């Protein structure tokens, strides 16, 4: 082969290399399972299904996605399932801070370190909800009524974020509340509408339909400032019309819940990076922005070292409350 031929072949190879994509990073080759660590209709389930719908609509992966609910044991079922699926990048676990809080307060067969963190995608607010026809008009009235006898407070799961907040309300309001756990915020809302509870502390999305339908209403939000107004939920009110709890004499300035995404342990860095990038793409869509606005959440994205720092700081806060309640696992 002459020098000219060698030169031409070399030039052609260089041009071809410039037009061909680099060796592609990991991509899923079979269906993906989204595991919601709560029952249907709750905030965790809503997040998993919102992300599924966005990915499907925008064709962010070629593989189909199915959502399954594994909310048993206050969500432990889903995390144990993730732990047992070590090395499987086709199981994506959706949860909250219960991923690291549960092993602190309950004897469960997992720790958050058994999983691979992907991201915290949002901070969900909490509100104090009562029946629509309840006689109290604000948190001050509620605390006075609760002080005269035991009130039934509902929440999603046991020794989790809802019960932690309930115990904080007891301490701040100097009242005693009987906490009754359910599988999800959606189930809790149904129980309040049926008159089986006096109150609950659902996230906005979990009681949106009930507020709109006139079976329950929020007294206050556990936030340092009122929520963004957004669209009206009822004919006359939206999220921005709900007073803060501090405004109404319940001195808990802020309480939020992160919405988190995990993979099983022992997945490869490329596999984890695929899902971090996928969730970032989800957050860039108009549908995600609409989901955040309708559910009145705070849009965020923590991954890597930032996510790890957040977890460790939250663990210190939970240890304090759990220690006061005698919940810490010995």
């Amino acid at each position: 082969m002459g020098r000219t031929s060698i030169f031409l072949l070399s030039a052609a190879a260089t041009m071809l290399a410039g037009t061909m994509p680099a060796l592609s990073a990991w991509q899923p080759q079979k269906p993906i399972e989204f595991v919601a660590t709560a029952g249907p209709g709750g905030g965790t389930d809503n997040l998993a299904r919102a992300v599924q719908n966005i990915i499907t609509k925008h064709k962010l992966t070629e593989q189909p996605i199915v959502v399954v609910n594994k909310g048993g044991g206050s969500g432990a079922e889903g995390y144990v399932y993730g732990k047992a699926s070590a090395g499987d990048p086709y199981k994506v676990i959706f949860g909250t801070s219960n991923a690291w809080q549960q092993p602190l307060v309950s004897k469960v067969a997992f720790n958050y370190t058994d999983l691979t963190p992907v991201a915290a995608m949002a901070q969900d607010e909490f509100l104090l909800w009562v029946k629509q026809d309840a006689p109290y008009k604000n948190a001050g009235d509620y605390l006075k009524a609760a002080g005269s006898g035991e009130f039934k407070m509902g929440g999603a799961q046991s020794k989790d974020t809802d019960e932690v907040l309930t115990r904080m309300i007891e301490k701040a309001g100097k009242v005693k509340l009987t906490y009754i756990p359910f599988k999800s915020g959606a189930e809790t809302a149904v129980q309040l509408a049926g008159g089986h509870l006096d109150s609950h502390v659902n996230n906005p999305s979990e009681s949106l339909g009930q507020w709109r339908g006139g079976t329950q209403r929020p007294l206050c939000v556990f936030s340092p400032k009122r929520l963004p107004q957004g669209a009206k939920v009822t004919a006359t009110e939206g999220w921005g019309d709900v007073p803060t709890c501090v405004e109404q004499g319940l001195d808990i300035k802020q309480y939020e819940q992160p919405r988190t995404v995990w993979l099983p342990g022992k997945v490869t860095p490329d596999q984890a990076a695929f899902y971090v990038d996928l969730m970032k793409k989800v957050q860039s869509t108009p549908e995600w922005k609409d989901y955040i606005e309708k559910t009145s959440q705070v849009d965020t994205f923590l991954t890597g070292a930032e996510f790890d720092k957040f977890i460790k700081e939250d663990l210190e806060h939970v240890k304090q409350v759990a220690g006061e309640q005698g919940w810490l696992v010995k």
Side-chain angles (χ1 to χ4, degrees):
M1 184 181 292
R3 292 182 63 186
T4 301
S5 298
I6 293 172
F7 172 79
L8 290 172
L9 283 171
S10 176
T14 301
M15 290 176 64
L16 187 60
T19 57
M20 288 180 65
L23 289 174
S24 60
W26 183 85
Q27 294 283 331
Q29 301 299 317
K30 62 181 186 179
I32 301 166
E33 193 174 90
F34 279 5
V35 181
T37 58
T44 299
D45 179 64
N46 290 340
L47 171 65
R49 294 182 190 280
V51 173
Q52 175 204 39
N53 290 336
I54 290 169
I55 292 171
T56 302
K57 179 176 181 178
H58 291 276
K59 299 179 180 176
L60 300 180
T61 178
E62 295 179 359
Q63 299 302 323
I65 298 171
V66 61
V67 176
V68 297
N69 294 92
K70 293 186 179 293
S74 294
E77 178 190 5
Y79 295 119
V80 171
Y81 180 68
K83 176 184 175 180
S85 304
D88 185 351
Y90 296 94
K91 305 285 193 296
V92 184
I93 300 98
F94 286 78
T96 65
S97 51
N98 61 359
W100 57 86
Q101 289 179 4
Q102 266 208 322
L104 196 67
V105 299
S106 302
K107 291 183 179 180
V108 291
F110 79 94
N111 200 316
Y112 80 95
T113 53
D114 296 319
L115 306 171
T116 301
V118 174
M121 296 186 69
Q123 289 280 12
D124 212 348
E125 305 287 356
F126 281 84
L127 299 95
L128 177 60
W129 298 83
V130 296
K131 279 194 70 179
Q132 186 72 28
D133 58 359
Y136 9 89
K137 303 302 181 186
N138 54 54
D141 292 344
Y142 170 86
L143 291 174
K144 287 177 185 176
S148 63
E150 288 195 353
F151 266 37
K152 295 186 181 70
M153 173 75 88
Q157 306 175 346
S158 176
K159 294 182 182 177
D160 201 350
T161 48
D162 290 20
E163 187 169 3
V164 169
L165 178 54
T166 298
R167 302 313 172 196
M168 291 170 65
I169 294 170
E170 285 183 326
K171 186 175 180 180
K174 297 180 176 60
V175 296
K176 177 62 180 174
L177 301 168
T178 299
Y179 180 79
I180 303 176
F182 297 94
K183 290 182 179 178
S184 69
E187 186 179 343
T188 309
V190 170
Q191 294 297 318
L192 178 59
H196 307 296
L197 299 170
D198 297 292
S199 57
H200 62 59
V201 285
N202 269 358
N203 306 121
S205 66
E206 295 173 323
S207 290
L208 175 63
Q210 285 79 10
W211 189 21
R212 184 177 286 136
T215 63
Q216 52 208 258
R217 55 188 169 84
L219 288 181
C220 65
V221 59
F222 296 94
S223 174
K225 60 182 181 180
R226 294 194 181 197
L227 301 177
Q229 183 64 54
K232 294 289 186 186
V233 176
T234 70
T236 58
E237 291 182 299
W239 298 115
D241 298 308
V242 180
T244 69
C245 294
V246 172
E247 282 180 61
Q248 297 193 341
L250 179 50
D251 192 18
I252 300 174
K253 294 180 177 62
Q254 187 166 26
Y255 192 82
E256 294 176 323
Q257 179 182 58
R259 296 289 172 192
T260 60
V261 185
W262 309 78
L263 287 169
K266 299 181 181 179
V267 297
T268 68
D270 271 2
Q271 291 165 345
F274 168 82
Y275 285 103
V276 171
D277 184 60
L278 182 63
M279 297 306 154
K280 284 181 179 176
K281 288 176 180 175
V282 166
Q283 282 198 315
S284 70
T285 65
E287 289 81 9
W288 175 262
K289 292 176 176 59
D290 185 55
Y291 162 76
I292 288 292
E293 180 179 326
K294 283 182 177 177
T295 58
S296 201
Q297 295 184 73
V298 178
D299 202 3
T300 188
F301 198 86
L302 299 178
T303 191
E306 281 188 312
F307 192 11
D308 186 61
K309 179 174 180 286
F310 177 88
I311 290 172
K312 287 179 169 60
E313 289 176 351
D314 190 64
L315 273 170
E316 290 306 309
H317 168 70
V318 176
K319 281 179 185 176
Q320 180 183 349
V321 176
E324 292 172 354
Q325 296 297 322
W327 292 345
L328 291 174
V329 173
K330 303 296 185 183

